[in-house]
Structure formats: structure tokens, C-alpha cells
Amino acid sequence: MTINNRLILAHLWTAFAAFGVAILLGLWQMWVRSPLAAPLSTPDNYYLSVTAHGSAMAYVLTTFFIMGFGYFVAESALKQALPAPRLAWAGFVLGIVGTVLVVATVLSGQASVMFTFYPPLSASPLFYIGLVLVVVGSWIWCALMIVAMTRWKKANPGTPVPLAMYATVANAILWLWTTVGVAAELLFVVIPAAFGWTQTVDVGLTRTLFSWTLHAIVYFWLIPAYIAFYTMAPQAAGGRLFSDLMARGSFILFLLCGLPVGLHHLFMDPEHSSGFKTVQMMLTVLVAVPTLLTVFTVTASMEIGGRLRGGKGLLGWIGALPWERPMVLATGLSFFMLWFGGFGGLINMSYGMNAMVHNTSWVSAHFHMIFGGSVVIMYFAIAYHIWPNLTGRLAPSLVLQRAQLWLWAIGMMVMSLPWHWLGLSGQVRRVAQFDYADPSISWWAPWMIMSVVGGGMLVISAGMFIWNLVSFHFERTGAAKPGPVEYARALHPGVPVPAALNGFVLWNAFVLVLMAAAYTYPIAQFFILKPPQAVVHRVDRTP
Amino acid sequence: MDTIKESGANIEEPASALLIQPVPSGAFALAGAAVALLLVAWLVMYFFTFLPRGPVG
Amino acid sequence: MAVDEISAVQNERRWALAMGGVAAVMLAAIVWAGLGLHMNPPSNIETVDPNTLHVAGEFAENNLGTHVDSAGKITTRIVTTQFAFVPECVVVPQDMQVTFRLASPDVIHGLIVVGTNVNTMVVPGFVSQVHTVFDKPGDLLMPCHEFCGLGHGQMVAHVRVVPIADFRPDGDGRVTCDN
Amino acid sequence: MALAVWALGFLILPVIDANNTGIDSLTAICRALGIAAPAKQAPSTQTAVPASMTAWDATTLDAVALGDPVAGAALAQDSCVACHDPNGLTTDPATIPSTTGQSARALYKQLSDMKRGERPNDVMKPILDELSQKQLADLAAYYSRLPRRNHDIHAIASARGGAIVLATKGDVSRALPACEACHGANAGGPLEVPMLTGQYPDYIAAQLRAYASGARKNDIYGRMRRIAGKLTDQEIKDVAAYYDAPR
């Protein structure tokens, strides 16, 4: 049983509260984009909503969930108390204050700049300060994760760090590296401009700094799902982790390859050279490797479970898996959506091919499949997996949990699949109105209505999810007590783990070299070229 | 009302060693098929959408 | 290391090699498209002052639209601004190479010409340039694809592709949708 | 491996593509490396006739930001008060705008344009000819600090539905952005846009018609000429009335 349950629950409930509100906005946005008449559909409201939806999902849900889950892993996998829980609370409070600032500025219409806030559009400075506070709060979490692992290693010499914790620390380090780009953008360019200290900004520089963060942040969001794939799903399936060493290798590869690739978000930008675009495209191919390794390792781990449960033949083990367990079901659904999200991503990263889809609904489809689909469904499964432990109560209903997961996956497919061909036929993202009377796009109408239906399914699923968690808290504690969360054991335990795969010093050095090679010149370029700057366009006050 | 019985712990080590194949053929088949399909889908996009849309640069 | 783990790692290595093969196929196709078919992202690093764009030079108001120079090179200049493409309609000939040159005087915009590979961001401070050949006549939709403010959704223009016979520059080498 | 990648990105791709894009190999490599290639002469055939010479370069931005409202007040008392009341009232609401509650940038641009004749105005031009750019910035600073005119709460209690749609939603089928996309309080649109709330409806309608006919053309890149030209006269009347309705 973990000790700091209140701390962990505070983080996770904050994450899911933001999620619950943001998903309602998402449904309304689908409604506005569709040919059906939606209430309150003005551009003011629409872009306010898109900013709120994106910020809540991408910054609040993720950051708070990852922090809360990290604290849980640190206690349950290391079986030791958290270092400095008061500091952890301080990080939480910083994050809450930041979130309140972001919510207040967005809802009052002072920050309709999207969660990507590309200058020279500029919001109220409080919006950016709120984001900074959320990030600073998460830095405290990073430090605590690193300290927890270091202490454990001192106390347990010669024993490898449990995989779940090793991966959590990999994520903490990845996040520290990731935030450097956006922190530099905010502190040196965006916030001074928002306060009015500077009247102009170097737009190319801000885009480049943001791209530094823009891709690796996705891996920050994704790694908790991968921790569940490696350490929770095989256990729930009655299997074994196929290879502990390969799992460690995958998380290290995420750390190494997730960072020096952000320029692939700027393939269609005029301010970067074909040279660096090519280099970062090649590096982007490498980042598919840890995911493809994971697909294999986790499948092999599940196969062990299926065979131990009597599955025969080449694929008979699939049917023998305990699909009634939410963690197993979620993993299966997650992998299914990962195929579509991964496919979209492969097109996006393919240099010239990016031109077909850049900034169209295809891209929205890609990250809804990957993040909203594969990753968030694992957030659900993780919550279901650890809630008994956090509340001391058994799950009230696994049927409702399974129904919720199914509805989420189906809803996500129904909503996001059409965006692929709509995007290919020129439907751009972040647009509220389409001229459905135009014969060249009138065929979009039924697909857009389908997306609204999918969005509705997601809202129902989200409601069920919240209900499923709330009902834990009201469940009477019976005689049966949930046991501690067990992490999957390796198929071949006792294999000595090389020191390099038990720490991060070497890998940090590699990241430094890779980032220097990938980003030094693309950033320095703006100080050499000195491109003319653009005047700040404030959205938070009368022109 | 069903509950989760903590899984995994009920498997005896010697039994698992006997049951598990040295080569995870099922994983190779399933994951291999998925990735093969992925490559096919990518090539379809490349040849039937990307190339017909014409040169740019 | 236990023998069993070695065999596990060997299996993983086999898998990783296969994945490397898949990646190599895709990379080869991309490089071939770039080298052999000239399908590359727009990457001309060329600066321009967004604040004086309208005062003089190639992006002044009456220099916009399609222009054929004395050597026969066809260039279409467009300014993307809050919240319109200027001009709103451009004419290009079918089956001939056309160069789009774009600039923004205010914020970031972007565009896609629907059904083609013409896609670029327009970043204030830089000229975006895309070369292409349109192979079918017709009016193609060209929406703004980067959020540029509250009028972003209504920022839509058209590219009119006409057969070469109907592509008639005036004495000054200009072709517009009006004539 | 790494070497091959770099060679591909910095040498082979750009050089091979250079032929296709009509630049020489050296320029192509320079661009691949992100080094600015030598600037080409802008291939334009006509002399530019800008809609307005007002450009938001650093000098202009600073000049407007440094406008002195006290000096502007004295100047306004001398030269402007006969037509432009400090409360935003004017002697002829059809041709003389309310000047209060606008941003200094909006006011400065119109004053500068009228002084240069880019926005023709026979009354204003001789007055402005006597003033320096610094004095224009002072005037802009003064008027930008005056509260917006109270609009007539009884005039148009019920704006017509179509006008509300045009003003707040726009019309994508005609590529018409909402008026509020630029003229709203939190719009983040072009730097020089005026606020319409509190402006006289007759004046708004007159300006829209002038844009539509081309009689007024000091809007950079024809942003307003394009929009006004697409509106019917009824829509012009309705939208103008909408901005007199209380909000």
C-alpha cells in the first residue's frame, strides 16, 4: 500500500477533472465544424474553446497524470517512502496556480492563441506565466524522481532499478531536456513581448525553439502508457516480460531519439534548410525503432501469458488471454489504435510526403489516434489498475470498466478515422466553418456528422470513466482488501543488468551530443541571418 | 460482480519454463503482419496519392 | 548472462533487423522522390521585412498575382494577410512549371492547394517559395491552414488552372482571374 | 552512415534540386546550410503604388508609443475641436467620425494617410499639412486616451440577424471574415484597425461604400476594399446599424 495516497489522488483527480471539461469542449468543436447548427458558434468562442481543449488535454491532463503516476511508481515499485513529500505538494500547488491562471485567461478571451501559441500572436502574459508555473511544478517532480532512484540505488547496491521506476526516471530526464526549448522561447521572447517590453519578435526563432519541445513532449505523454505495456499488461495477462534488457533499451532510445527530431514539425517552413530537415527526418525514422521494439516485446510478453493459459498454435494464445481484465483489454485496444496513429505519423515524418497532409485534419487524426487513443486509454487502464490500491477498495464493476474502454476505442475510431481522408482532401485543422454548399467539399458533410457521433461516444465514455473512479470512493470496504500492485517479472529473472542500463549518465551525454548536432545551427542561424522581426499582435486588448 | 484476482503470481516457475517456446513465433507472426500491413499502407499512400499529386520543391 | 536471455535478445535483434529493412524501404522511396522527382519541402531561406512589405518591392500590392517574365518564367506572388489571400484568385497554366512566392506582413499563415503537394507555411520575415506543375484544369481550393486569428476560418482563396491556350498574359505579362 | 546523411542533406539533395528550382548549385548549397544566399533583384515590372506608406517599422512604432497626450490635447483644442468633440460627438455623423476610444496606432495611420493624401480628405489635408509627424503622434496619444463615445441605446434595439452573423461569424462561402475578427476587443488583427463600437452608423456605412467603390483605398493590401466590395447595400446598412446597438 502506498503512503502518499492523498498526494497521488490530488494529482490524478486534477488531471481527470481537466480532461472531463476539455472533452465536452471537444465535442462542441466537432459540432461547430459539422454542417449541423451548433449553439454559440462564433469564431471568438471556437478559438477560445480550441485553446482550452488543447491546453487542458496537452498540458494539464498529461502533466498532472504523469506526476501522480510517477509518485505512485516511486512508492510502489521501489517500496520506499517518497523523498520530500512537502516539496511534491509544493510542485502540485505551483501546477494548480498555473492551471488557474491558464484557465482564467483563456476563458476570459485573453488567450485565444491555441496551445501552440505561435508568435507574433500574443496572449495575456498571465497565460504564459501560468504555463511556466505548470512546467516549474513538473520540474520539482523530475528532481524528486531522480532523487528517489538515486537513494534506492544507494540502499540496494548491485540490484537493478525496477523497470517501472527506471522508465519513470527516463521520462523525468526526457522532460527536463524537452522543456528547455519552450522555456527559452517563453522566457526570452514570448513573455517579454507579452508584457510589452519588446514590440517585435523573431518568428522563425520562436518556432524553432518550440519545435525543440514539440516532439519530445509527445514522448513525455506516451511513456506512462509504455510503462503500463511493459510492466502492468504482461502481469495482468498472466505472462512475463519477454526481455527486461530490451525494455530498458527502448526507454533509453526514447530519451535519445525523441529529442533531436522536432524540426520535422517545420518541414513546410521556409526558414529552415533542406539539409537540417533531411538530417532530422533520418533521426525521426530512428524514433520509430523503440515503438516497433515495444510492439514486439509486449506482444511476446502477452504471448507467454496466453500460452501459459493454454493457448495453442501460432495465434491461439490471443484468444486465451484474459480479455476480461481491463488492463489486458486496454492494451489490445491501444495497440489497435497505435497502428492507425503510427501509420499517420509515418506519413507525417516522410519529408516530402508531409506536403500532402501538413496542418490538415490528417494531423489532428494522427495525434488523436496516438495520444487520445493509444495513450489516454492506457491512462484509463492505469487508473483502474491502481485505484484499488489508492482507495483501499476493490473495483465496484469491471463490466463498466470494460464497456468504458470499448466505447472509448470505438468512439475514437468513429471520430478520427474520417479526418484522414478529409485531411487528404484539403480539410484544414483549427477552422470552425466550412462552405458545405461548395460542391467540391459537400461530400464532407456525412463524415463530419460521423465525427460528431464519435465525439458523443467519447463524451459518454469519459463520463463513465469518471463515474467508475468516483464509485471506488463510495464503495464500502468489505473483508476483501486489494493487494499491492505487482509489476511484471522478467521471463528470465536474475540477468545481470549492465551499469549503463541502470543509470542515465552516459545517455545524457549522448543526448547532449545529438541535440548539439541537430539544433545548434538551426537556432544559431537566426543570430547569423538576423531575419526582420514581426510586430506583436495582441489578442488580449483593444488594438 | 467480478473482481480482479491478482494474476501472474499463480504461475509455477518450472511450468512456465516448459510451456514457453524458445522463439515467440506468435509475436513474430502478429507483430510482423501488423508491420507488413503498415508498410503496404505506406507504399499505397506513396504511389497512389503522393506521386500523382505532382512535384514540389 | 543467462542463456535464455541471450536467446530473447537474439529474437529481438532479428525483429529489429526486419524493422530496419522496413525503414530502409521507406527512406529509399523518400530520397528517390526528392532526388529523382523533385519532391522536396519548401526550404528557401530568404528573408524579407514584413513591416514594409506593402511599400515597395515584389510584394507591393500591384505586383501580386501571376506574372510571366521575358524569359517565360511563370511566377505567382501572393501575400497572406489577416484575413485574406491577396489576390483571392490566381491563374496558372496547366502542365507548365509555376513558382509560387509568398510572404506575410503580419502573423504566421499557411496554405495548401487542395489535391496537390503545394503546401507551405508563410512565416513573417521569410519568403516562402514552391515550384510545381498542375496537370488538370479547374478551380482548386486554397485555404489558410495555420491559425492566424479570429478570421482564420474564412481565409480561403482559389487557384485557377487553365489550359495553356487560355493562359493569355497581358502586355505587362500579367494574368488575373478577372480577364 | 552519419556522413552519408549529411552529404545527402547538404550536398546531393540541394544540388540536384537546384536545376529544377532555377538556382545555381552554390546558392542551393548555401540555402541547404541555412546561409542566406545572395539576394536576387526583385523581379517586378511595375513601380509600386502602395495603398499607404504607413509601415509599422521600429521608428513608427516608437514614434506612436512616444506620443505626448498633453501636447496632443492642446493641439486638439486649437485645430480639431470644431468638428471632433472630446466626448466623441461630431457635427456631421455621416462624414465626420467619432475619434475617441481608438488605439493610437489606428488614429496615427489615418492622420498620416490623410496628410499624405493617400486617404483623400479636403478638410483634413490642409490642417494636417501644418502638423509634423510628431504632432500626429501627440494627437493620436490624446484621442486614444479619451473614453469611447456612448452609443445610442435606443437607436437600434434589434440588429438584423444577417448583420449579427456577418459581424460575429462571417461567411465562409464568400470568404468574408467576421467584422469582429479584426474589430473586436480581443481580436489580435492588423495593428491599425479601428474600433467600430461607438462609431456613428452613418459614418461606417459611408466608409464601407467608399471602400466598395474604390473612392477610399488606403487599406493596406485592400483588406477592406475586398470585404466591402462583397457586401450588398442592405448588408452595409445592417452592419453599420449593428455597431450602434448597445453591447
Side-chain angles (χ1 to χ4, degrees), chain D residues 123-161:
Chain D
V123 180
M124 292 292 287
K125 181 138 173 52
I127 301 171
L128 295 169
D129 277 341
E130 305 296 314
L131 304 179
S132 66
Q133 290 298 119
K134 165 77 178 117
Q135 285 173 309
L136 299 191
D138 294 344
L139 277 176
Y142 167 67
Y143 280 109
S144 70
R145 283 166 172 77
L146 293 179
R148 186 166 302 146
R149 169 187 154 252
N150 287 325
H151 28 98
D152 182 358
I153 55 165
H154 299 296
I156 307 292
S158 53
R160 288 158 67 108

Short mmCIF file of all heavy atoms in Angstrom, two decimals, chain D residues 123-161:
data_model
loop_
_atom_site.label_atom_id
_atom_site.label_comp_id
_atom_site.label_asym_id
_atom_site.label_seq_id
_atom_site.Cartn_x
_atom_site.Cartn_y
_atom_site.Cartn_z
N VAL D 123 -10.92 68.56 -46.22
CA VAL D 123 -10.95 69.36 -44.99
C VAL D 123 -9.73 69.07 -44.13
O VAL D 123 -9.08 69.97 -43.61
CB VAL D 123 -12.25 69.06 -44.20
CG1 VAL D 123 -12.29 69.89 -42.92
CG2 VAL D 123 -13.47 69.31 -45.06
N MET D 124 -9.44 67.80 -43.99
CA MET D 124 -8.35 67.40 -43.09
C MET D 124 -6.98 67.74 -43.64
O MET D 124 -6.08 68.11 -42.90
CB MET D 124 -8.42 65.90 -42.79
CG MET D 124 -9.60 65.47 -41.96
SD MET D 124 -9.52 66.07 -40.27
CE MET D 124 -8.23 65.02 -39.59
N LYS D 125 -6.79 67.58 -44.95
CA LYS D 125 -5.44 67.70 -45.52
C LYS D 125 -4.78 69.05 -45.22
O LYS D 125 -3.65 69.06 -44.72
CB LYS D 125 -5.47 67.43 -47.03
CG LYS D 125 -4.10 67.51 -47.69
CD LYS D 125 -3.89 66.42 -48.68
CE LYS D 125 -2.59 66.57 -49.48
NZ LYS D 125 -1.38 66.77 -48.67
N PRO D 126 -5.46 70.17 -45.46
CA PRO D 126 -4.79 71.45 -45.17
C PRO D 126 -4.44 71.59 -43.68
O PRO D 126 -3.39 72.16 -43.35
CB PRO D 126 -5.80 72.52 -45.59
CG PRO D 126 -6.99 71.82 -46.13
CD PRO D 126 -6.78 70.35 -46.10
N ILE D 127 -5.29 71.06 -42.81
CA ILE D 127 -4.99 71.15 -41.38
C ILE D 127 -3.76 70.31 -41.06
O ILE D 127 -2.83 70.75 -40.38
CB ILE D 127 -6.20 70.68 -40.54
CG1 ILE D 127 -7.42 71.54 -40.85
CG2 ILE D 127 -5.87 70.69 -39.05
CD1 ILE D 127 -8.72 71.03 -40.25
N LEU D 128 -3.75 69.08 -41.58
CA LEU D 128 -2.65 68.16 -41.27
C LEU D 128 -1.35 68.60 -41.92
O LEU D 128 -0.27 68.30 -41.40
CB LEU D 128 -3.01 66.74 -41.72
CG LEU D 128 -4.19 66.12 -40.96
CD1 LEU D 128 -4.66 64.84 -41.64
CD2 LEU D 128 -3.80 65.84 -39.52
N ASP D 129 -1.45 69.30 -43.05
CA ASP D 129 -0.23 69.78 -43.71
C ASP D 129 0.59 70.68 -42.79
O ASP D 129 1.81 70.78 -42.94
CB ASP D 129 -0.60 70.54 -45.00
CG ASP D 129 -0.81 69.59 -46.16
OD1 ASP D 129 -0.33 68.43 -46.05
OD2 ASP D 129 -1.47 69.96 -47.15
N GLU D 130 -0.11 71.32 -41.87
CA GLU D 130 0.58 72.22 -40.94
C GLU D 130 1.26 71.47 -39.80
O GLU D 130 2.00 72.06 -39.03
CB GLU D 130 -0.42 73.22 -40.33
CG GLU D 130 -1.21 74.03 -41.34
CD GLU D 130 -0.28 74.92 -42.15
OE1 GLU D 130 0.57 75.58 -41.53
OE2 GLU D 130 -0.38 74.93 -43.41
N LEU D 131 0.96 70.17 -39.66
CA LEU D 131 1.43 69.43 -38.48
C LEU D 131 2.58 68.48 -38.84
O LEU D 131 2.65 67.97 -39.95
CB LEU D 131 0.29 68.61 -37.87
CG LEU D 131 -0.97 69.39 -37.46
CD1 LEU D 131 -2.02 68.44 -36.90
CD2 LEU D 131 -0.63 70.47 -36.45
N SER D 132 3.46 68.27 -37.86
CA SER D 132 4.57 67.32 -38.05
C SER D 132 4.09 65.91 -37.68
O SER D 132 3.04 65.74 -37.06
CB SER D 132 5.74 67.72 -37.16
OG SER D 132 5.35 67.56 -35.80
N GLN D 133 4.90 64.91 -38.06
CA GLN D 133 4.55 63.53 -37.69
C GLN D 133 4.51 63.39 -36.18
O GLN D 133 3.69 62.66 -35.63
CB GLN D 133 5.58 62.54 -38.28
CG GLN D 133 5.53 62.38 -39.79
CD GLN D 133 4.20 61.84 -40.31
OE1 GLN D 133 3.50 62.49 -41.08
NE2 GLN D 133 3.81 60.64 -39.84
N LYS D 134 5.39 64.10 -35.50
CA LYS D 134 5.42 64.06 -34.03
C LYS D 134 4.08 64.58 -33.49
O LYS D 134 3.50 64.02 -32.55
CB LYS D 134 6.59 64.92 -33.55
CG LYS D 134 6.57 65.30 -32.08
CD LYS D 134 6.99 64.14 -31.19
CE LYS D 134 7.01 64.56 -29.72
NZ LYS D 134 6.06 63.84 -28.89
N GLN D 135 3.56 65.64 -34.12
CA GLN D 135 2.28 66.19 -33.65
C GLN D 135 1.12 65.23 -33.93
O GLN D 135 0.18 65.15 -33.16
CB GLN D 135 2.03 67.56 -34.30
CG GLN D 135 2.91 68.65 -33.68
CD GLN D 135 2.80 69.96 -34.40
OE1 GLN D 135 2.94 70.02 -35.63
NE2 GLN D 135 2.55 71.04 -33.65
N LEU D 136 1.24 64.49 -35.04
CA LEU D 136 0.21 63.48 -35.31
C LEU D 136 0.22 62.42 -34.21
O LEU D 136 -0.84 61.99 -33.74
CB LEU D 136 0.45 62.82 -36.67
CG LEU D 136 0.44 63.71 -37.91
CD1 LEU D 136 0.42 62.84 -39.18
CD2 LEU D 136 -0.75 64.65 -37.92
N ALA D 137 1.42 62.03 -33.80
CA ALA D 137 1.53 61.03 -32.73
C ALA D 137 0.96 61.58 -31.43
O ALA D 137 0.31 60.86 -30.66
CB ALA D 137 2.99 60.60 -32.55
N ASP D 138 1.17 62.88 -31.18
CA ASP D 138 0.62 63.51 -29.97
C ASP D 138 -0.90 63.48 -30.00
O ASP D 138 -1.55 63.15 -29.01
CB ASP D 138 1.11 64.95 -29.85
CG ASP D 138 2.61 65.04 -29.62
OD1 ASP D 138 3.20 64.00 -29.24
OD2 ASP D 138 3.18 66.12 -29.82
N LEU D 139 -1.45 63.85 -31.16
CA LEU D 139 -2.92 63.83 -31.29
C LEU D 139 -3.46 62.42 -31.08
O LEU D 139 -4.45 62.22 -30.37
CB LEU D 139 -3.32 64.31 -32.69
CG LEU D 139 -3.40 65.82 -32.91
CD1 LEU D 139 -3.72 66.09 -34.38
CD2 LEU D 139 -4.45 66.46 -32.00
N ALA D 140 -2.78 61.45 -31.69
CA ALA D 140 -3.22 60.05 -31.56
C ALA D 140 -3.17 59.63 -30.10
O ALA D 140 -4.09 58.97 -29.59
CB ALA D 140 -2.33 59.14 -32.41
N ALA D 141 -2.12 60.05 -29.40
CA ALA D 141 -1.99 59.70 -27.99
C ALA D 141 -3.13 60.32 -27.18
O ALA D 141 -3.72 59.67 -26.31
CB ALA D 141 -0.64 60.18 -27.45
N TYR D 142 -3.46 61.56 -27.50
CA TYR D 142 -4.53 62.25 -26.77
C TYR D 142 -5.88 61.55 -26.99
O TYR D 142 -6.55 61.15 -26.03
CB TYR D 142 -4.60 63.71 -27.21
CG TYR D 142 -5.85 64.42 -26.76
CD1 TYR D 142 -6.09 64.66 -25.39
CD2 TYR D 142 -6.81 64.86 -27.68
CE1 TYR D 142 -7.25 65.31 -24.98
CE2 TYR D 142 -7.97 65.50 -27.27
CZ TYR D 142 -8.19 65.72 -25.91
OH TYR D 142 -9.34 66.34 -25.51
N TYR D 143 -6.25 61.37 -28.26
CA TYR D 143 -7.58 60.81 -28.53
C TYR D 143 -7.69 59.35 -28.08
O TYR D 143 -8.76 58.89 -27.71
CB TYR D 143 -7.93 60.94 -30.01
CG TYR D 143 -8.43 62.33 -30.37
CD1 TYR D 143 -7.66 63.19 -31.13
CD2 TYR D 143 -9.67 62.76 -29.92
CE1 TYR D 143 -8.10 64.46 -31.44
CE2 TYR D 143 -10.13 64.03 -30.22
CZ TYR D 143 -9.34 64.88 -30.99
OH TYR D 143 -9.79 66.13 -31.28
N SER D 144 -6.57 58.62 -28.12
CA SER D 144 -6.62 57.21 -27.72
C SER D 144 -6.93 57.07 -26.23
O SER D 144 -7.34 56.01 -25.79
CB SER D 144 -5.32 56.50 -28.07
OG SER D 144 -4.29 56.96 -27.21
N ARG D 145 -6.70 58.14 -25.49
CA ARG D 145 -6.95 58.05 -24.04
C ARG D 145 -8.36 58.51 -23.67
O ARG D 145 -8.74 58.41 -22.51
CB ARG D 145 -5.90 58.87 -23.30
CG ARG D 145 -4.55 58.16 -23.22
CD ARG D 145 -3.46 59.11 -22.78
NE ARG D 145 -2.20 58.43 -22.52
CZ ARG D 145 -1.36 57.99 -23.46
NH1 ARG D 145 -1.67 58.14 -24.74
NH2 ARG D 145 -0.23 57.40 -23.14
N LEU D 146 -9.09 59.06 -24.63
CA LEU D 146 -10.46 59.50 -24.32
C LEU D 146 -11.40 58.30 -24.36
O LEU D 146 -11.26 57.41 -25.18
CB LEU D 146 -10.92 60.54 -25.35
CG LEU D 146 -10.17 61.87 -25.32
CD1 LEU D 146 -10.72 62.78 -26.41
CD2 LEU D 146 -10.30 62.54 -23.96
N PRO D 147 -12.38 58.26 -23.45
CA PRO D 147 -13.31 57.12 -23.44
C PRO D 147 -14.15 57.09 -24.71
O PRO D 147 -14.46 58.13 -25.30
CB PRO D 147 -14.16 57.37 -22.20
CG PRO D 147 -14.02 58.82 -21.91
CD PRO D 147 -12.66 59.23 -22.39
N ARG D 148 -14.52 55.89 -25.10
CA ARG D 148 -15.31 55.69 -26.31
C ARG D 148 -16.65 56.39 -26.17
O ARG D 148 -17.22 56.47 -25.09
CB ARG D 148 -15.50 54.18 -26.50
CG ARG D 148 -16.17 53.78 -27.77
CD ARG D 148 -15.99 52.29 -27.98
NE ARG D 148 -14.55 51.99 -28.01
CZ ARG D 148 -14.02 50.87 -27.55
NH1 ARG D 148 -14.77 49.95 -27.03
NH2 ARG D 148 -12.71 50.68 -27.64
N ARG D 149 -17.17 56.86 -27.29
CA ARG D 149 -18.47 57.53 -27.28
C ARG D 149 -19.56 56.57 -26.79
O ARG D 149 -19.58 55.40 -27.15
CB ARG D 149 -18.79 57.98 -28.71
CG ARG D 149 -20.21 58.45 -28.91
CD ARG D 149 -20.50 58.73 -30.38
NE ARG D 149 -21.93 58.58 -30.63
CZ ARG D 149 -22.49 57.59 -31.31
NH1 ARG D 149 -21.73 56.64 -31.83
NH2 ARG D 149 -23.78 57.53 -31.48
N ASN D 150 -20.46 57.08 -25.96
CA ASN D 150 -21.62 56.28 -25.55
C ASN D 150 -22.54 56.12 -26.74
O ASN D 150 -22.96 57.11 -27.33
CB ASN D 150 -22.38 56.99 -24.43
CG ASN D 150 -21.62 56.90 -23.14
OD1 ASN D 150 -20.97 55.90 -22.86
ND2 ASN D 150 -21.67 57.97 -22.36
N HIS D 151 -22.83 54.88 -27.09
CA HIS D 151 -23.70 54.76 -28.24
C HIS D 151 -25.15 54.81 -27.82
O HIS D 151 -25.50 54.61 -26.67
CB HIS D 151 -23.38 53.53 -29.07
CG HIS D 151 -22.78 52.42 -28.30
ND1 HIS D 151 -23.49 51.38 -27.84
CD2 HIS D 151 -21.50 52.24 -27.87
CE1 HIS D 151 -22.69 50.57 -27.17
NE2 HIS D 151 -21.50 51.07 -27.17
N ASP D 152 -25.97 55.12 -28.80
CA ASP D 152 -27.38 55.39 -28.55
C ASP D 152 -28.10 54.10 -28.22
O ASP D 152 -28.32 53.26 -29.09
CB ASP D 152 -27.96 56.05 -29.81
CG ASP D 152 -29.42 56.40 -29.60
OD1 ASP D 152 -29.96 56.11 -28.52
OD2 ASP D 152 -29.99 56.98 -30.53
N ILE D 153 -28.47 53.93 -26.98
CA ILE D 153 -29.05 52.65 -26.60
C ILE D 153 -30.46 52.48 -27.14
O ILE D 153 -31.01 51.39 -27.12
CB ILE D 153 -29.06 52.45 -25.06
CG1 ILE D 153 -29.77 53.62 -24.39
CG2 ILE D 153 -27.66 52.27 -24.53
CD1 ILE D 153 -30.12 53.33 -22.95
N HIS D 154 -31.07 53.55 -27.64
CA HIS D 154 -32.43 53.41 -28.16
C HIS D 154 -32.44 53.24 -29.67
O HIS D 154 -33.46 52.85 -30.24
CB HIS D 154 -33.28 54.62 -27.77
CG HIS D 154 -33.39 54.78 -26.29
ND1 HIS D 154 -34.01 53.85 -25.47
CD2 HIS D 154 -32.93 55.75 -25.46
CE1 HIS D 154 -33.94 54.25 -24.22
NE2 HIS D 154 -33.27 55.39 -24.18
N ALA D 155 -31.32 53.57 -30.30
CA ALA D 155 -31.33 53.65 -31.76
C ALA D 155 -31.74 52.32 -32.41
O ALA D 155 -32.79 52.21 -33.01
CB ALA D 155 -29.97 54.09 -32.27
N ILE D 156 -30.91 51.32 -32.27
CA ILE D 156 -31.22 50.04 -32.91
C ILE D 156 -31.25 48.99 -31.82
O ILE D 156 -30.22 48.44 -31.43
CB ILE D 156 -30.16 49.66 -33.95
CG1 ILE D 156 -29.93 50.78 -34.95
CG2 ILE D 156 -30.56 48.38 -34.65
CD1 ILE D 156 -31.09 51.06 -35.87
N ALA D 157 -32.41 48.74 -31.32
CA ALA D 157 -32.51 47.75 -30.25
C ALA D 157 -32.42 46.35 -30.82
O ALA D 157 -32.02 45.42 -30.15
CB ALA D 157 -33.81 47.94 -29.47
N SER D 158 -32.80 46.22 -32.07
CA SER D 158 -32.78 44.89 -32.65
C SER D 158 -32.02 44.90 -33.96
O SER D 158 -32.56 45.21 -35.01
CB SER D 158 -34.21 44.41 -32.88
OG SER D 158 -34.91 45.38 -33.63
N ALA D 159 -30.75 44.55 -33.87
CA ALA D 159 -29.97 44.44 -35.10
C ALA D 159 -30.51 43.26 -35.90
O ALA D 159 -31.00 42.29 -35.33
CB ALA D 159 -28.50 44.23 -34.76
N ARG D 160 -30.42 43.37 -37.21
CA ARG D 160 -30.96 42.28 -38.03
C ARG D 160 -30.05 41.07 -37.97
O ARG D 160 -28.84 41.17 -37.88
CB ARG D 160 -31.11 42.76 -39.47
CG ARG D 160 -32.25 43.75 -39.64
CD ARG D 160 -32.04 44.57 -40.88
NE ARG D 160 -32.15 43.76 -42.07
CZ ARG D 160 -33.19 43.81 -42.92
NH1 ARG D 160 -34.18 44.62 -42.69
NH2 ARG D 160 -33.21 43.07 -44.00
N GLY D 161 -30.68 39.89 -38.03
CA GLY D 161 -29.95 38.64 -37.86
C GLY D 161 -28.77 38.51 -38.80
O GLY D 161 -27.68 38.12 -38.39
#
